[in-house]
Amino acid sequence: MAANPGFQISLDVRGWPVLVIGGNEEAADKVQRLLDAGAKVTVVSPTLHEVLRKLAASAKIIHRGRHFRANDLESVILVLNTLRDDRELAHSLIRLAREQKFLLWSVDQPDVSNVVMPAVVSSGHVRVAISSSGQAPALSGFMKEDLERILDGEFAAFVDWLAQLREQAKANEPDAEKRRTLLREALDGFRLLGKVQYPKVWADYRAKQETPAAPAYTTMATRSWGRSW
């Protein structure tokens, strides 16, 4: 299947019901992200990761201690399936998603999902999503780690300061163009600088690709073909 770059959006799930299938570490990570975004989360799983047990005990999530049933989908807008090894369930979920019009992500199974879950870098109010269209997911993880080092605590404080400037400008400057100029001036000199350091195995591969083959023409016909190619 050809890589699908998708259509990137940010989904507002505040107050909306979201279903998470599975109670593993993957589920715990996704549930916390959903709670941070304000979703109403239900987890369906016979067992729960320790993090999820604490969230259920404090009534921050609803837990149904059993396997998935079709009626769990009632009213949900998004389903996150964190079970890697149940292909039958994943295929049944994508059929239901098409029928009932909800968004579905099944971990490591883009062919039976209608949304993808990018790697996300969070720094204060800023979110940077990284996707390789499913072609090199490990690369997304490496990029996430490096960007987290770059977009550090000072960067988050800088974004907070810009937000304060914007609010002050909205309160004190009625002219929209002057407000935009003020905020652009506050960003004067900001640059996100970086350089990609490639692994040696890639450099070796590129060197082989770029090394021209020695010509070995034995007849007029082969010489002509070689030049035109």
Side-chain angles (χ1 to χ4, degrees):
M1 180 182 293
N4 183 356
F7 181 77
Q8 284 68 41
I9 61 172
S10 180
L11 186 65
D12 185 354
V13 295
R14 285 175 296 180
W16 288 93
V18 176
L19 179 68
V20 176
I21 301 172
N24 51 28
E25 185 176 357
E26 183 84 45
D29 173 71
K30 299 303 182 285
V31 165
Q32 190 57 64
R33 285 173 58 180
L34 286 166
L35 292 175
D36 291 343
K40 295 180 178 178
V41 181
T42 297
V43 176
V44 176
S45 177
T47 60
L48 285 182
H49 185 277
E50 178 61 27
V51 170
L52 294 175
R53 283 201 295 270
K54 291 179 180 179
L55 291 173
S58 59
K60 292 181 179 178
I61 62 172
I62 296 171
H63 175 224
R64 295 172 183 163
R66 52 170 173 74
H67 294 290
F68 168 78
R69 298 174 187 168
N71 60 10
D72 291 323
L73 299 171
E74 185 177 354
S75 301
V76 301
I77 64 165
L78 172 65
V79 175
L80 303 185
N81 171 27
T82 67
L83 304 179
R84 285 181 167 81
D85 301 324
D86 195 336
R87 287 288 290 175
E88 184 178 350
L89 172 62
H91 279 277
S92 67
L93 285 170
I94 193 62
R95 287 194 296 271
L96 290 166
R98 290 172 182 142
E99 293 169 5
Q100 301 183 31
K101 313 301 182 190
F102 59 82
L103 300 176
L104 169 66
W105 173 79
S106 286
V107 61
D108 292 342
Q109 300 175 84
D111 58 316
V112 284
S113 303
N114 56 23
V115 297
V116 297
M117 191 75 67
V120 176
V121 178
S122 299
S123 181
H125 299 292
V126 170
R127 301 291 182 273
V128 179
I130 307 163
S131 171
S132 64
S133 301
Q135 302 306 291
L139 174 63
S140 299
F142 274 81
M143 292 176 66
K144 178 178 185 292
E145 290 176 5
D146 285 342
L147 281 171
E148 284 175 337
R149 285 191 287 269
I150 295 170
L151 305 181
D152 55 9
E154 183 175 0
F155 178 80
F158 174 64
V159 176
D160 282 340
W161 176 72
L162 289 173
Q164 294 170 13
L165 280 183
R166 182 171 180 266
E167 289 303 312
Q168 291 171 5
K170 286 166 65 177
N172 301 324
E173 178 52 72
D175 187 281
E177 184 56 39
K178 289 181 179 180
R179 288 200 304 269
R180 282 191 290 270
T181 299
L182 174 66
L183 296 173
R184 282 195 297 267
E185 288 175 351
L187 281 164
D188 184 36
F190 173 81
R191 292 293 182 272
L192 187 62
L193 303 175
K195 180 180 179 181
V196 178
Q197 178 176 301
Y198 294 104
K200 183 178 183 300
V201 64
W202 169 250
D204 292 343
Y205 171 79
R206 291 283 285 171
K208 289 178 182 178
Q209 295 296 107
E210 293 170 1
T211 301
Y217 304 132
T218 58
T219 68
M220 183 63 70
T222 56
R223 284 200 298 272
S224 176
W225 176 84
R227 283 196 296 269
S228 65
W229 187 84

